[in-house]
Amino acid sequence: MHIVVCIKQVPDSAQIRVHPVTNTIMRQGVPAIVNPYDLFSLEEALRLKDVHGGRVTVITMGPPQAEAALRKCIAFGADEAILVTDRAFAGADTLATSYALASAITQIGKDQAVDMVFAGKQTIDGDTAQVGPGIAKRMDLQLLTYVSQVDALDLMTRTVRVQRRAEGGVQVLTTKLPCLVTMLEGSNEMRFASMDNMFRAARYQLKVWDRVAAGIDDVGKIGLKGSPTVVSKVFAPQARTQRAEIIDTESGEPRDIALTLLSKLFTQHPKLGEAISKRAT
Amino acid sequence: MAEKFDAIVVGAGPSGNAAAYTLAKSGLKVLQLERGEYPGSKNVQGAILYADALERIIPDFREDAPLERHIIEQRMWVLDDASFIGSHYRSDDFNKPPHNRYTIIRAQFDKWFSQKAQEAGVLLICETTVTDLIMDGTQVIGVRTDRLGGSIYADVVILADGVNSMLARKAGFRPELNPGDVALAVKEIHFMPEETIASRFNVSGDAGVVIEMIGKITKGMMGTGFLYTNKESLTIGVGCMLSDFKKQKISPNRLLEEMKSHPSIRPLIEGGEMKEYAAHLIPEGGYKAIPRIYGEGWLIAGDSGMFVNAVHREGSNLAMTTGRIAAETVIELAAQGKACSTKNLAAYRAKLDQSFVMKDMKKYQNLPDILHRNPQFLTTYPELLNQAAHIMLKVDGVDKKSKEKQIRSNFAHRRSLFGLVGDAYKMWRAFE
Amino acid sequence: MSEEKRVPVKKAGKGKYELSEQLKAYKGVWVFVEHERGEVHPVSWELLGEGRKLADTLGVPLSGVVLGAPGLATRRFCEEAFFHGADNCYLMEDAVLNNYRNQPFTKGLTDLVNAYQPEILLLGATTQGRDLAGSVATTLKTGLTADCTELNIDMENRSLAASRPTFGGSLLCTILTLNYRPQMATVRPRVMALPDRDNRRLGSIVEHPLGLIEADIVTKVLEYIPDNRQDKPQLAFADIIVSGGRGMKNPDNFQLIWDLALMLGAEVGASRPVVQAGWVEADRQVGQSGKTVRPKLYIAAGISGAVQHRVGMEGADVIIAINNDPNAPIFDFATYGIVGNAMTILPALTQAFKQRLAMAKMAG
């Protein structure tokens, strides 16, 4: 069995800051990590490999530095890693990205047919959740998003059964390979890499593919040109017209402040006061 | 399959990188293990880089190392509650290349240094904690990590795992840290536009300023405050002995907050946005706290060996130098086909004794004790000095002679004449 | 209206563009009406409310799109869509559409778009909406903007200006889809206000066949296990939420949040750092990467109010912020602010509410 896992290197968004005056992003010192959602998909792929054999190939599209993210996946136990990198990819939105990745995965499949593709549910930097479905459509794979559990995989009948999170419950679905799966967060826990795999990752020579190696002829479908959406502006949120009314009392005692606040709350927002009072009965 | 290396370096800070780089450059098979996610990940703060120590390892480091500013001016401030008295030394000589000291951002610098080591052939593995040394009798023959199948063997293990050096302690090479031997420093990086830094500190281009501060800001605790100019940020922090923090029950956080609001400091950092905050331990026990630094198959370098000159606030240069000399010792033994035995590794200690490292460490060996037993140096004197300056500078119709008299009486009132002479003698002894 | 025929030739962002004749034919605003187990997801009605404004600005009709099994229930969804502002509905009824599945729904919605050519297509950013939107946009090779917090019409270009948080929720960006139609966007539940329901409103239904049989569909639904609603926090629809942030300092102090919430019969919310630190379960996270809420009262203690959090709660009617930093951004948009230590203010508030409620109870 051959599983391809799509990952992305992202800045650890919890550590990004915005310059207070210029509103520009201060990326300085922000560590790059493997998109946390991707790890749930990678772990699921590795588990399937543990049970059913075969191999796991990890792929990412990104700048040369994304190499570090792929290396990490090798440490976790992936067999191969491919970095798809080309200046022509710059400025890609999700449509152009899914095109490039689908092309690259098709190329991977020429070596050994791909049975399953895993992708992250979404990224923490883009949060779009569109690339996975995009790849599935372009490659005509059955799409299984928000999977909380892979119940069964039968390679003889090429059938997979999964539990998929829906809004009000869980769908139990069965489908045929090849398919694309995005895993729900918390559905598994990434393993702790063995020392051998750490050595392997440190020494691993990963494959670097440019646009041509990824099987892309038409530059009109990738990068900025292949992207229907354009960012017209980036801005800091507008302050509301009025700032909060600061509640303070002469004494500064918490008790007095609380009472002052409540009397304002109940007189200025009678409906809200009513709703709160109702809770007393 | 357990791997075997010529040398394993534990830690990828300045000391570990210096050791690993030097070893790999000579052609040895080196494995470096780092606990953090990547080199520098545990070190986000700004710091001072002393060119000389690095130059001896990577002569052309200035070509691509991430340096912030070279320092052309050093300010020493003694602070009272609302004032400071101090000296500034600025020299255009410091502005001429090759520069002598630089401000750096450790996270970036460590990453660069590690990259150099890897290019030299070091195999670096991060996110891996060395839990134990593998012993054969009294000889260290490898390390055990926290990972499955984590035993790795080597002819020699260099411990450069920092001030806590869990390994050295566990192996019994070093005693538990004495809170009186470690300082806890908190640092912040405040973002500030280049033009603001240039005008506020009177510098241009890549030139920068360092301010060292003692006095009331540490509330009688033994320690110093500091402020460095980086390219587009300021590093500001304060460090005091851990034992003092415990005694005074002051949080380092609050200490820094109060220091930042000092009327002499606040205007310098005004408008800056706090970007990073970090706390770390600095071994400041001085010469007397240095443990055994070599043995059967092992060496200790950097903070792990307590190599910090607290008086001159030098640490990273001692770390790099001890790391380099440890490596050179191993290289020489390897070239001669000699084992890394206790007897042969004694050359490491001998070399350090010959170098500025041990000489400087020895020079100030009594200072920590003196300051510790005599808090007046950090409380009473700053106050008296500031008062003296205030009295002399205030034009109020009082003649200068009377002012001098008042100052003298202030000093005598706060500290007996005997005490004053004694203090002067203690300080002279410590610095002699 | 004249706008309707206006040809956008102005430059937007970088460079001029002009919509091709073929794309100019795309007219109207569509909202995909999402339903599961016989219930329409409220996000669809919220989107109709927002879509109404867009359609009015453009001077075009607003349409609901309903795909489902044949029957009265599905037809009733169309009726509800009219009540919530739709002028008409595109209805696709087929037995294979009984449960949501990607393949038939993608084909159905794609076919409808190709046949009736809307200029804007909105979907809820739910597990169903996101699954479908990504697939449809790729199939149509058009642009899709996810998780929008604001939708406007850029009249100069007659295009949808979709704003969403970016860079980990610290900034907002506006995204345009210029040379492609339809312009697609998803919006998370509770981000837009629920419009008033007007059950006198009527509309027309346009029916369209799916043209797919069960045998063509690879994925099968074996079972549907509904959630046990009781054991999960229901933040999205709570009237009162008491939320704590990193400023609460430790999990012990966070108990003060629970105390106040219990007193008010409120839900407990939290900011991202608190959830990441594991003080409360992920279901309680409010913000861009958590839940969007629109309570009547939102009490935020020890929360600075970064965009990431703000976009999840600024729809609250009244916001009370407690923070010891007078410059915390939350005071820029809260209704009432208390600059002080949450650890002492919260117990005082709990006590004050307790007295109030006791008095109200006595008054009957």
Side-chain angles (χ1 to χ4, degrees), chain C residues 97-108:
Chain C
L97 297 170
N98 188 31
N99 277 303
Y100 173 76
R101 279 179 292 174
N102 181 271
Q103 187 189 350
F105 272 70
T106 301
K107 177 178 172 8

Side-chain angles (χ1 to χ4, degrees), chain B residues 59-72:
Chain B
D60 58 355
F61 77 92
R62 290 181 179 87
E63 278 172 23
D64 55 0
L67 306 170
E68 294 286 314
R69 289 171 184 272
H70 60 269
I71 300 158
I72 62 158

Side-chain angles (χ1 to χ4, degrees), chain A residues 11-18 23-25 27 37 93-95 98-99 121-122 124-131 133-138 141-146 161 163-177 184 220-221 224-248 252-259 261-269 271-273 275-281, chain C residues 12-14 34 36 41 99-103 106 125-128 130-131 133-139 141-147 150 163-168 170-180 186 189 218-227 229 232 239-240 263-266 272 276 288-289 296-297 307 310 314-320 326-328 330-339 344-345 348-349 352-353 355-358 360-361 364:
Chain A
D12 192 350
S13 62
Q15 302 193 40
I16 292 183
R17 283 174 183 80
V18 180
N23 269 329
T24 50
I25 304 298
R27 291 171 185 275
Y37 293 112
D93 73 358
T94 55
L95 192 77
S98 68
Y99 175 76
K121 185 190 90 166
Q122 67 198 68
I124 58 164
D125 62 341
D127 269 319
T128 68
Q130 289 164 10
V131 175
I135 294 169
K137 287 298 127 183
R138 290 183 183 277
L141 307 171
Q142 290 305 308
L143 176 62
L144 302 168
T145 53
Y146 306 100
R161 195 180 78 214
Q163 297 195 13
R164 173 182 182 273
R165 165 120 305 267
E167 283 304 303
V170 172
Q171 286 184 321
V172 182
L173 299 172
T174 174
T175 197
K176 294 278 183 189
L177 303 184
L184 200 65
K221 287 185 178 168
L224 209 52
K225 279 187 195 159
S227 302
T229 60
V230 292
V231 176
S232 74
K233 64 171 175 175
V234 176
F235 58 102
Q238 284 290 306
R240 274 194 191 179
T241 40
Q242 71 192 71
R243 271 179 62 89
E245 180 183 343
I246 301 293
I247 309 290
D248 204 355
E253 286 295 319
R255 188 172 163 274
D256 296 342
I257 293 173
L259 291 173
L261 172 69
L262 254 60
S263 82
K264 277 204 191 274
L265 197 65
F266 280 80
T267 50
Q268 291 179 7
H269 309 271
K271 268 193 174 172
L272 174 62
I276 295 172
S277 299
K278 258 190 214 153
R279 290 163 186 268
T281 52
Chain C
K14 296 159 213 158
E34 167 182 341
E36 200 135 36
H41 196 294
N99 277 303
Y100 173 76
R101 279 179 292 174
N102 181 271
Q103 187 189 350
T106 301
T126 58
T127 56
Q128 185 182 124
R130 286 177 145 201
D131 184 275
S135 304
V136 170
T138 310
T139 311
K141 311 259 183 304
T142 190
L144 165 60
T145 308
D147 289 7
E150 207 184 315
S163 299
R164 69 186 305 264
T166 182
F167 294 113
S170 45
L171 289 176
L172 293 163
C173 67
T174 301
I175 292 174
L176 305 176
T177 301
L178 294 176
N179 283 312
Y180 300 80
T186 62
V218 183
T219 301
K220 312 287 180 195
V221 179
L222 300 179
E223 204 186 334
Y224 186 94
I225 310 159
D227 289 335
R229 294 252 173 200
K232 282 206 160 191
D239 278 342
I240 305 178
M263 162 55 48
L264 291 170
R272 182 166 63 182
Q276 282 178 347
Q288 166 71 1
S289 49
K296 293 191 174 87
L297 176 61
V307 181
R310 178 175 170 174
E314 64 183 340
D317 295 341
V318 175
I319 298 169
I320 297 173
N327 298 319
I330 196 150
F331 292 125
D332 291 340
F333 58 95
T335 325
Y336 300 108
I338 297 173
V339 180
T344 58
I345 303 284
L349 266 182
F353 271 118
Q355 283 169 4
R356 262 276 171 180
L357 295 188
K361 201 171 181 176

Side-chain angles (χ1 to χ4, degrees), chain B residues 178-185 218 221-224 238-248 250 255 281-286 310 368 371-372 378:
Chain B
N178 171 3
D181 287 343
V182 238
L184 176 63
T218 58
M221 300 189 287
M222 184 171 144
T224 54
V238 61
C240 290
M241 299 313 285
L242 194 56
S243 53
D244 285 353
F245 275 123
K246 277 188 180 165
K247 224 182 324 177
Q248 301 259 4
I250 294 174
L255 192 68
L281 294 174
I282 305 169
E284 291 195 349
L371 290 178
H372 228 159
L378 298 160

Side-chain angles (χ1 to χ4, degrees), chain A:
Chain A
M1 187 175 56
H2 190 189
I3 304 176
V4 172
V5 182
C6 304
I7 65 138
K8 186 184 182 189
Q9 189 183 48
V10 295
D12 192 350
S13 62
Q15 302 193 40
I16 292 183
R17 283 174 183 80
V18 180
H19 188 270
V21 183
T22 59
N23 269 329
T24 50
I25 304 298
M26 305 198 300
R27 291 171 185 275
Q28 199 184 23
V30 178
I33 54 172
V34 179
N35 176 40
Y37 293 112
D38 299 346
L39 295 179
F40 299 108
S41 285
L42 175 61
E43 173 61 24
E44 202 61 34
L46 292 171
R47 287 183 186 187
L48 290 176
K49 180 192 141 183
D50 290 345
V51 176
H52 300 277
R55 69 180 167 129
V56 171
T57 302
V58 185
I59 182 173
T60 193
M61 180 181 114
Q65 306 88 278
E67 183 230 310
L70 288 174
R71 214 169 275 287
K72 200 157 236 179
C73 297
I74 295 287
F76 287 129
D79 299 280
E80 301 289 338
I82 297 168
L83 171 64
V84 185
T85 188
D86 200 309
R87 281 183 177 278
F89 293 135
D93 73 358
T94 55
L95 192 77
T97 301
S98 68
Y99 175 76
L101 283 172
S103 301
I105 297 168
T106 306
Q107 289 300 111
I108 294 172
K110 286 180 180 167
D111 179 23
Q112 181 187 347
V114 175
D115 302 296
M116 291 178 94
V117 177
F118 278 84
K121 185 190 90 166
Q122 67 198 68
T123 58
I124 58 164
D125 62 341
D127 269 319
T128 68
Q130 289 164 10
V131 175
I135 294 169
K137 287 298 127 183
R138 290 183 183 277
M139 297 184 69
D140 200 16
L141 307 171
Q142 290 305 308
L143 176 62
L144 302 168
T145 53
Y146 306 100
V147 171
S148 55
Q149 194 176 313
V150 177
D151 284 339
L153 172 67
D154 185 340
L155 289 174
M156 294 300 287
T157 57
R158 296 184 64 72
T159 316
V160 61
R161 195 180 78 214
V162 303
Q163 297 195 13
R164 173 182 182 273
R165 165 120 305 267
E167 283 304 303
V170 172
Q171 286 184 321
V172 182
L173 299 172
T174 174
T175 197
K176 294 278 183 189
L177 303 184
C179 64
L180 184 141
V181 177
T182 74
M183 294 300 295
L184 200 65
E185 67 273 20
S187 50
N188 57 38
E189 201 178 326
M190 179 47 81
R191 60 196 59 197
F192 192 56
S194 70
M195 204 62 229
D196 282 352
N197 275 340
M198 291 301 285
F199 276 120
R200 182 163 182 269
R203 293 173 170 142
Y204 181 75
Q205 285 283 327
L206 48 93
K207 293 180 186 152
V208 180
W209 285 4
D210 63 2
R211 168 180 71 80
V212 179
I216 298 162
D217 307 318
D218 186 356
V219 286
K221 287 185 178 168
I222 55 169
L224 209 52
K225 279 187 195 159
S227 302
T229 60
V230 292
V231 176
S232 74
K233 64 171 175 175
V234 176
F235 58 102
Q238 284 290 306
R240 274 194 191 179
T241 40
Q242 71 192 71
R243 271 179 62 89
E245 180 183 343
I246 301 293
I247 309 290
D248 204 355
T249 60
E250 238 170 72
S251 70
E253 286 295 319
R255 188 172 163 274
D256 296 342
I257 293 173
L259 291 173
T260 311
L261 172 69
L262 254 60
S263 82
K264 277 204 191 274
L265 197 65
F266 280 80
T267 50
Q268 291 179 7
H269 309 271
K271 268 193 174 172
L272 174 62
E274 238 170 73
I276 295 172
S277 299
K278 258 190 214 153
R279 290 163 186 268
T281 52

